[in-house]
């Protein structure tokens, strides 16, 4: 390869002239490096905390659906029982007999159950669910930040390894510029930036939810 340094003082060395092969190889290396970052203990722990928070939120969401369904069923049953109980009470009075309050027993039990269901739903909707959503958002944001730091750590290790390999060339030319943004390290840093950006956005959403649902007095 002929190089005219007067015309082209800057050169670029690539592993292969086949651009598609170059891109495919870089993507494979980035995937392997990302998997390495994901296997770090801090990332594994953060991911597990996020999954646990997501599971808890899903459980409470199911609880809300179940309680609302039960409240609806009891409301319908109460309406039917109330009509029958009142009619029975009227008939017992109309017969001149001692008033029969037995038909009211089921009605009282249903109304009592309905009141506690209402209280449970209120507590769930006003406190437990918002807290679970907030916890999930916090854990999701934290996991994103941890993943970003892990990717940056792997990128840093890769950059240091590459610079070590380039020392001989640097000793020959004194100064050898290297654009890390176009290689594996640069791709990992870009991924880390995306994780960090998303984590910040999620954290801001958590702040808004906390301010709305749990205002400080």
């Amino acid at each position: 390869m002929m190089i005219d340094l007067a015309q082209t003082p800057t050169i670029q060395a690539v592993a292969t002239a086949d651009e598609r092969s170059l891109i495919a190889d870089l993507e494979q290396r980035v995937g392997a490096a990302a998997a390495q970052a994901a296997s770090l203990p801090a990332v594994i722990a953060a991911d597990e905390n996020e999954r646990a928070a997501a599971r808890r939120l899903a459980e409470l969401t199911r609880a809300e659906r179940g309680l609302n369904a039960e409240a609806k069923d009891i409301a319908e049953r109460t309406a039917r029982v109330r009509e029958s109980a009142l009619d029975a009470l009227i008939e017992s009075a109309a017969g001149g007999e001692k008033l029969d309050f037995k038909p009211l027993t089921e009605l009282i039990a249903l109304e009592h159950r309905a009141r506690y269901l209402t209280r449970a739903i209120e507590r769930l909707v006003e406190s437990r669910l918002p807290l679970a959503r907030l916890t999930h958002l916090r854990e999701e944001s934290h996991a994103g930040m941890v993943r970003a730091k892990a990717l940056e750590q792997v990128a840093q290790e890769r950059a240091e390894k590459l610079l070590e390999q380039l020392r001989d060339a640097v000793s020959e030319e004194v100064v050898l510029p290297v654009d890390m943004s176009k290689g594996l390290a640069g791709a990992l840093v870009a991924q880390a930036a995306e994780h960090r950006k998303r984590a910040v956005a999620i954290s801001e959403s958590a702040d808004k939810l906390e301010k709305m649902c749990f205002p400080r007095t």
Side-chain angles (χ1 to χ4, degrees):
M1 179 176 64
M2 298 296 296
I3 300 175
D4 186 347
L5 293 178
Q7 297 295 325
T8 311
T10 301
I11 62 174
Q12 176 175 285
V14 295
T16 174
D18 186 342
E19 185 175 352
R20 286 183 298 180
S21 177
L22 191 65
I23 293 173
D25 180 64
L26 179 59
E27 289 177 347
Q28 182 179 5
R29 289 173 180 271
V30 170
Q36 177 188 346
S39 68
L40 294 176
V43 177
I44 293 173
D47 286 345
E48 177 53 37
N49 288 338
E50 180 188 349
R51 285 192 293 270
R55 286 194 298 269
R56 185 55 181 162
L57 177 57
E59 290 170 356
L60 292 178
T61 301
R62 285 195 300 271
E64 181 188 19
R65 290 196 299 267
L67 290 172
N68 280 321
E70 181 65 17
K72 180 181 178 182
D73 180 63
I74 287 181
E76 293 172 351
R77 288 169 56 193
T78 300
R80 293 193 300 268
V81 170
R82 181 181 294 113
E83 294 301 317
S84 298
L86 292 177
D87 285 343
L89 188 60
I90 291 171
E91 291 302 324
S92 68
E97 302 173 358
K98 184 178 179 180
L99 294 181
D100 183 9
F101 290 99
K102 290 181 180 179
L104 297 178
T105 302
E106 183 180 3
L107 176 60
I108 293 171
L110 286 172
E111 290 179 340
H112 186 69
R113 189 180 303 177
R115 282 197 298 271
Y116 276 96
L117 270 172
T118 299
R119 292 180 186 177
I121 292 171
E122 288 174 351
R123 177 176 296 186
L124 180 61
V125 171
E126 295 174 3
S127 177
R128 300 287 294 277
L129 265 174
L131 181 58
R133 292 192 182 100
L134 179 61
T135 300
H136 180 238
L137 287 173
R138 294 295 188 204
E139 292 296 347
E140 188 177 7
S141 176
H142 176 68
M145 283 296 188
V146 172
R147 283 192 288 270
K149 291 178 181 179
L151 286 166
E152 289 167 348
Q153 177 182 330
V154 173
Q156 181 68 26
E157 292 171 355
R158 171 60 185 172
E160 291 175 358
K161 179 180 179 181
L162 178 60
L163 290 176
E164 180 68 25
Q165 295 170 343
L166 290 173
R167 277 186 176 178
D168 290 341
V170 172
S171 66
E172 290 291 333
E173 292 296 328
V174 182
V175 177
L176 184 63
V178 178
D179 186 357
M180 305 295 287
S181 67
K182 295 182 180 179
L184 174 58
L188 293 175
V189 169
Q191 278 193 12
E194 287 299 317
H195 281 294
R196 192 179 296 277
K197 180 180 178 181
R198 185 169 183 272
V200 169
I202 293 172
S203 180
E204 290 173 350
S205 296
D207 291 340
K208 291 177 182 178
L209 178 62
E210 185 173 19
K211 185 177 180 180
M212 180 178 64
C213 297
F214 307 101
R216 296 178 181 177
T217 56

